[in-house]
Structures are given as structure tokens and as C-alpha cells.
Amino acid sequence: MPDRLTVRKTYKLFIGGAFPRSESGRSYVVTDAKGRFVANASQASRKDARDAVVAARKAFPGWSGRTAYNRGQILYRVAEMLEGRRDQFVDELRQAGASKSAAGAEVDAAVDRWVWYAGWADKLSAVAGAANPVSGPFFNFSTPEPTGVVAVVAPDSPLLGLVSVVAPAIVSGNTAVVVASEPAPLAAITLAEVLATSDLPGGVVNVLTGLRAEIAPWLAAHMDVNAVDLAGVPDDQVRGLEEKAAENLKRVLRPQDADWNAEPGTARMTAFLETKTVWHPVGV
């Protein structure tokens, strides 16, 4: 048989459940740990960031309106599909510099962490909510609700770091716009393919690749973004993004507030919740 050309993968953005190229037409070179060419990744623009926020806002009512049990089912389905593409993720992590054993361990940890957060979907309300004792003939309940659209700057851990910041943001009903690792974005787009072929509705997670310094400030200042997770932002840039977020009311999760690399807990989920308190007369 004649030699055939390898079909090279095209790495695009993930916005609203689709895979568009950047509207600017730009891309940037991704290299392996030895500086060798691996792929061209789309370089998202400010317009792409705005489109991603629009998609996330459009998806928010439907996603937050689903039952917690159903969201847990969908997140568990994502973990199943991530497990099924283990070899592909291992290859991409090895291109980013990990050894075969380290890459395999990271994929396994990412699957386990996704399953862990999926299991919290129908338990978070019981833990974060309360029936409050009051002086008077009233019932008083506090219930957690999702904040809205969360902008996430992912850490440079290509897969485990990404899963550790995305899963807790969406499990409670938020939608997300994620700026992937700048030097190692390929696993993020492969994860987006997993999300696109699972039961996760389009727009719940939107993935942008490109330059953090270009995209993150616009997301932090965007008036329709309700919260910002700065997990992947260098310490010397945190203050500038906090100032932009302060231009309108936003929740800001700083890197030191919740270490994504620590054993998972409820902090990353509750950071993006609002509490609604309801009073109801007894006997009515």
C-alpha cells in the first residue's frame, strides 16, 4: 500500500457547544517539552471572549434549572467518557513533558476528581443550606443557588488542574468560560471534545485558548460575568484582575483562597454559590 499522510488534528476554541476558529484568524505555536512543534492552537480574541460569555449566559437558565441529581448524572457521564479516552490524554500530557507513568497518574486523578465532584451535585444543598431557628411563628430556610457565569483562568496543569477548577464551578448549576493553560492547551480542547459528546448542554462550559494576559482582563471586567476564579494567574497579576473585577459586583476566588492541587473539599463549590433565605408562616 502507498504511504499515507497523517491526518493532523486541528485545535479550535469551544464556544456554545461548537468548535469555531478564533474570529481574528490567529493561532499560536504549541511545542513539546523539548521545544519541538506539536500543533497550532487558536489564539482567542476579546470578541471570542465576549461570544463565550454570551453562550454561557444563554445556557445558564437551563443548566441551573435541572435537578441536582440530573447534573450529577451528566457529570458522571463526562467522567466515563474521559476514562474511555485515557490513552489520548496520556499522549497529550506526554507531549507537554510528563513521563508515561506521570501522565497516566494525572489522567486517573482527573477522572477520580471529576467523579468526586459529580457525587456532590445532590448533596451540596443539604450541606450548604439550613433550616434556621427563629423567634416567631415562621419557618426560615437558607438554600444555596448558583452565582451565574464564572470566568476561570485555569492553572498550567493541563488536565488535573483544568478538571479541578471546572467541575466545582458547574456542579452547582453555574456556567463557565475557561481560559486554558497557555503553554499546554491541547488537553483542554480534547476535554472539550469529551464535553461536547457527553450529555452536557452546549454553552455550560466554554474553552478559550490563547494568551492569558490578553483574555483574562476582559473577562474580569465583563459586566455579565458574575464570578472569577484566578487559579492560574501568577501572584503579580492577581491584584490587577481584582481591580478590574471590582468595577462591578463579582465574586473573586484567589489562588491562595482555595488551592486546586489540595485534596478536594467544598470550598471551590461554595465559592460560587449565593444563599437565598425564605421566611414562611407556620400553618399557611
Side-chain angles (χ1 to χ4, degrees):
M1 296 179 63
D3 293 336
R4 60 183 296 274
L5 295 175
T6 301
V7 178
R8 300 298 295 268
K9 182 174 178 177
T10 303
Y11 290 89
K12 302 178 183 179
L13 309 176
F14 183 54
I15 300 174
F19 290 89
R21 291 180 171 85
S22 171
E23 60 83 30
S24 66
R26 299 177 303 171
S27 62
Y28 73 105
V29 173
V30 178
T31 59
D32 65 13
K34 297 182 178 179
R36 297 173 297 197
F37 174 84
V38 175
N40 289 312
S42 291
Q43 185 174 329
S45 67
R46 291 176 291 176
K47 174 64 163 57
D48 296 318
R50 293 196 299 270
D51 289 345
V53 172
V54 169
R57 177 59 64 191
K58 183 178 180 180
F60 176 70
W63 180 240
S64 61
R66 288 176 180 257
T67 65
Y69 180 74
N70 183 236
R71 287 198 300 270
Q73 287 180 308
I74 292 172
L75 264 66
Y76 187 82
R77 173 62 177 159
V78 172
E80 288 179 345
M81 299 184 70
L82 202 163
E83 178 90 53
R85 297 179 70 164
R86 184 179 187 277
D87 291 344
Q88 182 178 1
F89 281 106
V90 167
D91 288 342
E92 291 183 342
L93 294 178
R94 293 185 68 187
Q95 290 175 346
S99 66
K100 185 175 182 179
S101 59
E106 179 168 347
V107 177
D108 293 342
V111 173
D112 292 346
R113 189 156 295 189
W114 196 279
V115 171
W116 192 89
Y117 279 115
W120 270 98
D122 58 354
K123 302 170 183 65
L124 189 57
S125 180
V127 172
N132 307 309
V134 295
S135 178
F138 301 98
F139 294 116
N140 183 269
F141 303 100
S142 293
T143 57
E145 294 187 342
T147 296
V149 176
V150 180
V152 179
V153 183
D156 279 337
S157 173
L159 183 60
L160 180 58
L162 182 68
V163 167
S164 298
V165 294
V166 172
I170 67 172
V171 67
S172 60
N174 296 299
T175 55
V177 177
V178 185
V179 182
S181 166
E182 186 176 325
L186 304 189
I189 298 302
T190 302
L191 179 63
E193 293 172 358
V194 170
L195 300 177
T197 52
S198 69
D199 298 325
L200 192 74
V204 172
V205 176
N206 305 272
V207 180
L208 305 175
T209 56
L211 309 183
R212 286 185 185 131
E214 179 181 359
I215 308 169
W218 289 95
L219 289 175
H222 199 296
M223 301 296 281
D224 201 28
V225 170
N226 304 109
V228 182
D229 184 349
L230 304 179
V233 177
D235 291 341
D236 61 345
Q237 297 177 24
V238 168
R239 183 178 177 84
L241 294 179
E242 286 180 325
E243 290 174 351
K244 289 187 176 296
E247 293 176 6
N248 73 319
L249 187 62
K250 281 187 178 69
R251 285 178 172 261
V252 178
L253 183 62
R254 301 162 185 84
Q256 65 269 27
D257 292 341
D259 181 7
W260 68 265
N261 200 30
E263 285 296 315
T266 59
R268 286 200 156 272
M269 294 181 285
T270 56
F272 305 122
L273 292 176
E274 305 291 343
T275 300
K276 180 176 72 175
T277 299
V278 177
W279 295 72
H280 194 281
V282 173
V284 176

